[in-house]
Structures are given as C-alpha cells and as structure tokens.
Amino acid sequence: MKPFKMVSTEYKSEPTRIHIPAPGGNDVIIGEGYCTMIAGPCAVESSEAYLELAVMLQHLGVHILRGGLFKPRTSPYSFKGLGQSGLDIMAEARSITGLPVITEVMDVRDLDVLYDTVDILQVGSRNMQNYSLLEELGQLDKPILLKRGLSATIEEWLLAAEYIVSGGNEQVILCERGIRTFEPYTRNTVDIGAVPLIKQLSHLPIIVDPSHATGKWEMVRPIAKAAIAAGADGLMIEVHQDPDRALSDGKQSLTPENFSRLYEQVIRLAMLEDKEVLKNKG
Ligand code: PEP
Ligand code: MN
C-alpha cells in the first residue's frame, strides 16, 4: 500500500463528497460531480467593504465566502488581518447571505472561537506541515480545507491530509495553490497535473486556487478554466472591489466584474464536464 492509507483510493474507491451545511438552508457540496465556487477578499478589511462584497458575490452565485482574519504574512510589518474582531464581520456576512464561510486558522489557540462561526477551517500553505495543528483538526467535526505546502510533494500533502483523517475527521478538501519553483515571473508555479493525479491517488475532493497559484490577476481566469478542465471540484478566488488599494494580495485580486466574467465561463466549462453548479437562492 501507499504510505498514505485512509485518504487513498486503495482504501476507499468511492469519491468523498463533503456536505457543508449552509446557514441559509441550501447545503453546499464539494466533491466529484460538482463545481463549487469559493470567493472573497484575501483579508477582511472593514465591515462595510466585506458586507457589500459578500452580497455581490451571493448574487453572482458564489457558494462559499472566503476572508482572511489571521494572515500569515512574510513580513511582520505587513497587515496581518483583523483577527478575532473580524470574526463578527464574517458572522454578519454569513447571516445576511445565508452562505457558509471559510477562514484560515494559524494557531490551535484560535480554534475554539473560530469553530462556532466558521463553516470550513482553512490550513494555509505555510502550515501544511504543522502537525500539532493537523492533529487538533483531526479531532473536530468540521470540514477542513488543506492547502498544498509551498514546496510540498504530492505525497507529503496527502500524508498531511492523513494526519487529519486518521484522527477521525474525514472531511478534508485539498487545495492546489501552486508550488515554489525557479520561475520568478509568477508568484508560484501552478501544478495543474496535480488535479488528475490526486483524483487517481485519493478519494478526497480537490479544488484549485488560481489567485495564489499565479499572483497575477490577468492569469486567474485562464488558470481557473484550466483547473476545471483538468477535473477540479471547485475554485477559490480572491476578489476585491478596489484591488489597487487592497491591504493584501491586490495584484492577484479580481474586481467583481472580472470575477463575474470568470464565473460565466467556468459555468459553461463545468457543464461540459458534467458537473453540477449548485444554485443559491441569491
Ligand atoms: C490564503 O488563501 O489566504 C492564503 C494565505 O493562501 P496560501 O496559504 O495558499 O498562501
Ligand atoms: Mn491572499
């Protein structure tokens, strides 16, 4: 058997579909046969901006809202997110739109407070090998989005997922977000091949984040389409009303107009791939 056991297709051949209960009543499904769209700003910056964007995205048909509260920034002098105070803003967006929300957890000490409000907990690239965090998440009854580490091999990534699943939490969604290579023109190098490979090796769902994978907003739409064509079960996209003024990741953020264009094309591609694009009440 492969070194990863419970996440492997050898262990379970039937694809895992994760049900995310939505506060508005429409459960969101992530997995084979679906195309689930997660969108929102890199970071929650203010109540006004986040709520306005959340409603816009809901009307465009987004299924899950993203927003960073605890941001893992390379420089300690960069904006690190609103932390717990931003959680109330996400809670309000969740209740106004009826959509589930996802945010990154960097520290086990924040788990209790995030658990009550957040529908999916994200493990960021930098924490993919934070094994004590993964073990804690394995104890929870909450879906986890596990991003691929900055330089992680497919096997290291699946073994990180194994930490969570073997702890008892089978609700793991993998997220390809590019890996570090010798190429400096893009923030990361997208590993589109990881999508069909993961489908072969694991029953877990896999989505792609073309925003962090490229670092350039102009590349987000083409790579989003490539991801769906390669068989991804969904996308996570950064959107900001005014990318030039974003406090983080403005260069890779789409305006709502550009996001809407991307989404229209993705819906057509998803249909071609026989994927259901869940409808929200909106
Ligand atoms: C994010 O999605 O907010 C993020 C920080 O991404 P990554 O962990 O992939 O760099
Ligand atoms: Mn970001």
Side-chain angles (χ1 to χ4, degrees):
M1 274 188 90
K2 302 272 187 325
F4 42 88
K5 312 286 179 203
M6 296 178 73
V7 305
S8 74
T9 40
E10 287 171 332
Y11 179 82
K12 177 176 176 254
S13 56
E14 181 68 17
T16 294
R17 293 185 185 87
I18 316 265
H19 288 248
I20 322 279
N26 284 353
D27 278 14
V28 174
I29 299 170
I30 304 183
E32 185 68 29
Y34 292 86
C35 176
T36 306
M37 190 65 84
I38 306 174
C42 179
V44 176
E45 297 178 0
S46 74
S47 170
E48 299 70 36
Y50 192 71
L51 297 179
E52 180 191 64
L53 184 63
V55 171
M56 269 193 249
L57 294 175
Q58 176 207 10
H59 289 306
L60 289 175
V62 162
H63 310 115
I64 299 168
L65 296 172
R66 68 155 280 149
L69 301 175
F70 300 95
K71 298 300 304 173
R73 302 308 301 276
T74 302
S75 163
Y77 307 118
S78 301
F79 174 62
K80 287 191 248 173
L82 297 181
Q84 281 193 23
S85 60
L87 196 55
D88 293 339
I89 303 173
M90 280 197 106
E92 199 178 341
R94 182 178 185 271
S95 101
I96 292 173
T97 60
L99 299 180
V101 296
I102 175 169
T103 201
E104 174 167 353
V105 57
M106 288 214 296
D107 193 312
V108 287
R109 289 170 295 186
D110 299 321
L111 270 180
D112 279 350
V113 63
L114 290 177
Y115 184 88
D116 293 332
T117 305
V118 171
D119 302 280
I120 307 175
L121 289 163
Q122 175 173 326
V123 177
S125 203
R126 290 153 193 81
N127 266 317
M128 189 208 83
Q129 286 176 310
N130 181 342
Y131 297 117
S132 48
L133 177 63
L134 301 180
E135 274 172 353
E136 282 295 315
L137 297 173
Q139 306 289 312
L140 298 184
D141 176 22
K142 183 77 82 182
I144 309 296
L145 182 98
L146 178 65
K147 288 196 147 193
R148 183 174 182 180
L150 298 174
S151 302
T153 63
I154 300 278
E155 195 165 291
E156 286 162 347
W157 187 18
L158 288 174
L159 283 167
E162 187 83 12
Y163 261 87
I164 305 172
V165 173
S166 63
N169 184 356
E170 291 166 9
Q171 306 178 81
V172 177
I173 304 139
L174 300 167
C175 179
E176 164 63 41
R177 46 78 72 206
I179 45 175
R180 182 167 289 194
T181 67
F182 49 80
E183 177 52 65
Y185 269 95
T186 50
R187 183 174 179 181
N188 292 294
T189 297
V190 201
D191 186 5
I192 287 290
V195 176
L197 190 54
I198 288 282
K199 289 271 173 194
Q200 228 176 63
L201 295 171
S202 176
H203 54 83
L204 296 177
I206 174 165
I207 69 163
V208 173
D209 167 354
S211 308
H212 292 89
T214 62
K216 284 178 153 60
W217 74 265
E218 297 92 332
M219 289 179 71
V220 171
R221 190 161 46 92
I223 298 305
K225 290 191 283 185
I228 297 303
D233 302 310
L235 296 165
M236 179 152 85
I237 314 272
E238 286 187 340
V239 184
H240 195 284
Q241 291 102 315
D242 190 355
D244 288 341
R245 293 214 169 75
L247 298 179
S248 58
D249 288 351
K251 285 196 172 66
Q252 65 195 37
S253 297
L254 295 184
T255 59
E257 296 70 35
N258 276 328
F259 173 75
S260 161
R261 194 161 159 229
L262 173 153
Y263 200 3
E264 275 168 29
Q265 296 187 352
V266 162
I267 289 173
R268 297 202 330 249
L269 262 174
M271 288 188 325
L272 209 67
E273 295 289 319
D274 288 327
K275 285 174 181 294
E276 183 129 353
V277 182
L278 296 168
K279 291 279 173 237
N280 294 305
K281 282 183 189 123

